[in-house]
Amino acid sequence: MFGRTTLLIAAALGLTLGTSAAEAQIKLKWAHVYETSEPFHTESVWAAQEFAKRTNNKYQIEVFPASQLGKETDINQGLSLGSVDIIISGSSFAARAYPPIGVTYYPFIFRDADHLLAYTKSDTYKELAKGYEDKTGHHIVATTYYGARHVTSNRPIKACADMKGLKMRVPDVPAYLAMPRSCGANTTPIAFAEVYLALQNGTVEAQENPLTTIEAKKFYEVQKHIVLTAHIVDHLNTIVAKGTWDKWSAEDRATFVAVAQEAAARATKQIQTREAELVGLFKEKGLTVTEVDKKDFIDAVAKGVTFEQFGYRKADYDKIVAIK
């Protein structure tokens, strides 16, 4: 009888301990708007698993891709509302809270991916990230190369003037609008998840995104031309909500920063490799790929927009342009 009672007590105690351990695990939500096939998602999943491993399963992070928790505007707002803990999002959206950080979206500010990556190691990057954190409380922990943004269209475009009257989907962010509007395009904001259908049914006849996104979202199926404007060398920030960051110990913070930066580097390498392959692949699919004189577009932007209208600081622009 004593043995049976002892076993029952031990079993009950084991159940209690197991329940407590499960309850002790901290569950977090990580959101983004990208497809499950893209490195931004696959490396987020890797980072979530790696963070759990390195913290002895203290945290369980679920990654929500493809706008499952809302559009990019929604998930940025979610950081403050407490509906998400971590997001991947561009500085153009961070600029809605802290305009100076959006200077990296000023058309043609970066020469190429290497220039962007050099910027992420600069004092200017640290200053802008701190300015964003001071304003919002949210913490930028890593930055991933997203790709050079190019125009796709169902009409041929060889020069800035050819975009006049073009019905074009552009994210509802001032910096994204600068080049298309300077060239006379009629821009319209459409949620990222709805762009394919809008192109397919003719609501718009053009859009702009990196080659890797054009592939992932299958825009090449409903567009005839890819125009290599590279007007924005884009990037995504991994951002932790203030409420979440404040709860982490210094050790957990350092662990997540290390994991997020490793994931960013892994995704960046994949994007650069795939970008180099895609021009040829799109040509094989029958699309017309056009090189353009960037100076034509740069001159139009210089006439059409100013730093002040966006809330950017020219001093930041000058520092970034000067980075080698």
Side-chain angles (χ1 to χ4, degrees), residues 249-284:
S249 66
E251 183 179 0
D252 289 346
R253 290 177 181 179
T255 300
F256 188 77
V257 169
V259 166
Q261 291 185 355
E262 286 178 46
R266 289 159 56 106
T268 292
K269 186 174 181 179
Q270 292 176 54
I271 293 295
Q272 288 181 294
T273 299
R274 190 58 179 161
E275 236 178 2
E277 301 167 345
L278 281 173
V279 169
L281 289 174
F282 285 138
K283 288 180 179 178
E284 289 177 10

Side-chain angles (χ1 to χ4, degrees), residues 9-25:
I9 293 171
L13 182 60
L15 179 62
T16 302
L17 289 173
T19 302
S20 298
E23 288 175 349
Q25 190 175 51

Side-chain angles (χ1 to χ4, degrees), residues 19-271:
T19 302
S20 298
E23 288 175 349
Q25 190 175 51
I26 300 168
K27 296 184 178 181
L28 304 172
K29 293 180 179 179
W30 184 332
H32 64 77
V33 300
Y34 302 99
E35 299 300 313
T36 54
S37 61
E38 295 184 85
F40 316 116
H41 176 70
T42 57
E43 294 305 325
S44 295
V45 172
W46 175 85
Q49 294 170 345
E50 195 67 15
F51 187 48
K53 186 189 303 181
R54 296 187 194 182
T55 57
N56 198 27
N57 288 318
K58 181 178 179 180
Y59 298 96
Q60 178 187 341
I61 301 178
E62 185 173 0
V63 182
F64 295 86
S67 305
Q68 288 179 9
L69 295 187
K71 297 180 291 186
E72 200 151 7
T73 300
D74 300 325
I75 63 174
N76 273 271
Q77 292 173 343
L79 291 172
S80 297
L81 296 174
S83 57
V84 294
D85 299 285
I86 305 159
I87 68 169
I88 293 179
S89 179
S91 291
S92 55
F93 286 87
R96 293 182 174 183
Y98 180 64
I101 201 170
V103 70
T104 52
Y105 282 78
Y106 190 86
F108 306 103
I109 186 172
F110 292 112
R111 298 181 294 276
D112 51 30
D114 289 340
H115 185 192
L116 169 68
L117 295 173
Y119 154 73
T120 64
K121 298 175 176 63
S122 71
D123 289 340
T124 304
Y125 171 84
K126 294 173 185 174
E127 290 166 7
L128 290 170
K130 186 175 187 307
Y132 170 76
E133 183 176 3
D134 289 345
K135 182 71 174 181
T136 64
H138 311 316
H139 196 83
I140 296 174
V141 297
T143 298
T144 305
Y145 173 60
Y146 181 51
R149 299 182 78 95
H150 305 289
V151 174
T152 70
S153 173
N154 280 329
R155 72 158 83 158
I157 297 170
K158 295 182 179 179
C160 176
D162 295 334
M163 293 178 66
K164 187 173 183 180
L166 184 72
K167 292 189 298 180
M168 183 172 178
R169 181 269 177 179
V170 183
D172 189 20
V173 175
Y176 282 120
L177 298 166
M179 186 280 285
R181 287 187 176 175
S182 295
C183 291
N186 291 330
T187 59
T188 183
I190 294 172
F192 191 50
E194 299 166 10
V195 176
Y196 183 97
L197 182 61
L199 293 168
Q200 186 179 49
N201 65 26
T203 301
V204 291
E205 55 187 324
Q207 66 87 47
E208 53 82 57
N209 259 300
L211 297 177
T212 48
T213 304
I214 294 166
E215 178 190 35
K217 300 293 285 186
K218 301 187 185 300
F219 295 151
Y220 60 85
E221 295 179 345
V222 288
Q223 297 278 262
K224 297 176 182 178
H225 300 269
I226 295 179
V227 189
L228 300 178
T229 52
H231 51 283
I232 294 174
V233 177
D234 209 344
H235 60 284
L236 300 174
N237 298 316
T238 305
I239 308 174
V240 180
K242 179 183 187 302
T244 302
W245 185 258
D246 287 350
K247 292 175 184 176
W248 288 354
S249 66
E251 183 179 0
D252 289 346
R253 290 177 181 179
T255 300
F256 188 77
V257 169
V259 166
Q261 291 185 355
E262 286 178 46
R266 289 159 56 106
T268 292
K269 186 174 181 179
Q270 292 176 54
I271 293 295

